[in-house]
Amino acid sequence: MTQYVIIGDGISGSSAAETLREEDPESEITVITDEGEALYNRILIKEHAKGKLPEAPISIHDEEWYEDRDIELSLNTHVTSVDTDSKIVHTHEGDDLSYDKLLIATGGTPTQLPVENSDADGIHHFWTFQDARKIRESAEAADDAVIVGAGLLGIDFAAVCGSQGVEGKYLMRGDRWWRYALSGDGAEIMHDGMREKGVEPVFDSGVDRFEVDDDGHVVAAVDPNGERYACDFAGVAIGLSFNTEYLRGAGIEHDNGILVDQYMQTNVEDVYAAGDITRFYDVLLGEQAQNGSWGSAKEQGRVAAVNMAADDEAEEFQWVSSYSITHFDFPFLSFGHPTLGDDHAERRYSDTEWRRLAFKDGKIVGGVLIGDLAPQSKFKRLMREQRVVADQKDVLLAETVDLDELAAPQEP
Ligand SMILES: Cc1cc2nc3c(=O)[nH]c(=O)nc-3n(C[C@H](O)[C@H](O)[C@H](O)COP(=O)(O)OP(=O)(O)OC[C@H]3O[C@@H](n4cnc5c(N)ncnc54)[C@H](O)[C@@H]3O)c2cc1C
């Protein structure tokens, strides 16, 4: 009987466990997580912090779900090391677990700002349900906040401020929000959205240090220009550090994420990885890439499990990820790899509508849509089909995209 061990009960680990049970009904499956609760919807915890959603609908699985599938779930258990020669996983409680096949699905942990007082009371990072509960509590009691990190997670803090009636100062390093994927035109729409929520973007800023009161609670952030911003709480979202420290000495290749091929296999036999933690070979992009998104993590867990159970390279991961933001009056969606590419095309259609596509070797590799998401499925289809279309930007940027207007694909 094959023994599978999965480290991490996020969406990638949990989806792998479910698939393994279907693919290999007679096996032993153990899922280990250092969190105190089974899988919940990480995407929805921001709605809880905003004060808009109670706890119950955020949980996805209760412990019974694992029992029903004969999956052993170890909560509150931190894996401290893995011995890939003797195929043993060690936990903080001194338990040793043998495996035949191992899945690493441990995601990341929010990176702390390397500045004075960055661990003070009232300074929050956004990753777990527990974080969201604390953010909600802080925001409910706050008048002013500071936000740092001009990306997809930072903007969730801006939305929390807006919903909880907190005045926010959003301190950004450059001249705009998510400058790697948005031009000034696109970012301006987002800045207006923030202002409408009572959050003021502050450009060419950041945090040099936090000031605290006698109880160690944050009271202000001081930026590199010497400007002081009083705050009752601060939200920091400057990126993720991948949870690989327990793999030291295990011989598993990693480079800002665990390197896997398109089958989710690492360089070590019988060791697979899935979810945020992977730097996977993206068959559509033709290079190693990363996806920090729910749908991608779920699919990677499923594909890894299929290959683990098949004992073979049965299925490859091929996926166009997407990430949407619903905090404003207009919708926002990024798909694929909008920060990559060697060519771009963009257009602004109105005060709340904008579109940008990223191309590599003439093919769409990602994009951002603001205001009108209607063309998303067409762009994703072109990306999946790897069509060379960068020479037909006028068709792609037309308000209504008609794929029939594209020149027929050339025969290879
Ligand atoms: C606030 C927030 C909003 C988001 N919004 C969106 C969105 O709108 N759309 C979208 O697509 N994505 C969104 N994401 C990203 C998405 O949630 C992640 O991409 C996805 O959850 C990653 O799943 P995962 O299974 O790879 O990792 P994780 O969910 O991070 O799970 C990893 C698990 O492993 C555990 N673990 C780590 N180390 C160990 C260890 N040594 N021993 C035992 N257990 C360990 C961790 O505690 C964790 O439970 C959001 C994320 C956050 C935090």
Side-chain angles (χ1 to χ4, degrees), residues 48-219:
H48 183 70
K50 280 160 81 175
K52 297 214 158 152
L53 201 65
E55 297 218 353
I58 297 174
S59 294
I60 297 179
H61 295 156
D62 55 16
E63 291 179 47
E64 223 178 290
W65 184 90
Y66 300 81
E67 279 163 27
D68 289 348
R69 286 161 184 77
D70 195 20
I71 295 169
E72 181 77 29
L73 173 69
S74 295
L75 297 174
N76 296 310
T77 308
H78 186 73
V79 171
T80 48
S81 63
V82 173
D83 183 335
T84 48
D85 290 329
S86 47
K87 294 189 156 183
I88 291 176
V89 167
H90 301 281
T91 75
H92 79 286
E93 282 170 330
D95 292 337
D96 294 344
L97 265 108
S98 295
Y99 68 83
D100 297 307
K101 303 270 177 82
L102 177 69
L103 180 71
I104 296 162
T106 41
T109 305
T111 309
Q112 277 213 348
L113 264 176
V115 302
E116 197 181 330
N117 294 323
S118 66
D119 57 352
D121 197 30
I123 298 179
H124 296 281
H125 299 87
F126 220 157
W127 198 255
T128 65
F129 205 166
Q130 270 305 82
D131 295 336
R133 293 177 180 114
K134 288 188 199 147
I135 292 166
R136 178 177 177 146
E137 219 178 281
S138 264
E140 278 170 356
D143 294 320
D144 299 289
V146 156
I147 303 157
V148 199
L152 294 169
L153 287 182
I155 208 161
D156 288 346
F157 276 114
V160 170
C161 290
S163 292
Q164 299 277 14
V166 180
E167 277 195 30
K169 291 281 185 290
Y170 197 160
L171 311 184
M172 307 184 190
R173 275 230 292 248
D175 64 352
R176 61 188 185 274
W177 181 75
W178 208 17
R179 61 193 154 133
Y180 304 107
L182 270 65
S183 66
D185 269 355
E188 196 46 43
I189 298 176
M190 303 306 284
H191 301 157
D192 287 345
M194 293 168 201
R195 289 185 186 109
E196 266 171 40
K197 299 271 172 204
V199 174
E200 189 55 37
V202 181
F203 306 114
D204 299 316
S205 178
V207 173
D208 225 15
R209 64 177 195 280
F210 288 107
E211 290 179 2
V212 296
D213 63 16
D214 293 344
D215 298 325
H217 190 95
V218 67
V219 291

Side-chain angles (χ1 to χ4, degrees), residues 350-376:
S350 73
D351 286 352
T352 53
E353 272 181 48
W354 178 84
R355 188 184 304 168
R356 181 177 188 265
L357 296 168
F359 305 93
K360 184 187 165 200
D361 302 329
K363 301 167 195 165
I364 297 176
V365 291
V368 176
L369 308 177
I370 302 178
D372 176 16
L373 309 190
Q376 66 162 306

Side-chain angles (χ1 to χ4, degrees), residues 7-13 32-35 42-43 45-46 77-79 105-108 126-127 153 156 243 246 274-276 292-295 297 322-324:
I7 313 175
D9 186 39
I11 185 60
S12 61
I32 307 171
T33 173
D34 57 9
E35 290 196 62
R42 214 176 276 292
I43 296 186
I45 59 176
K46 58 193 151 203
T77 308
H78 186 73
V79 171
T106 41
F126 220 157
W127 198 255
L153 287 182
D156 288 346
N243 296 322
Y246 67 96
D276 280 9
S293 70
W294 182 268
S322 44
Y323 195 114
S324 56

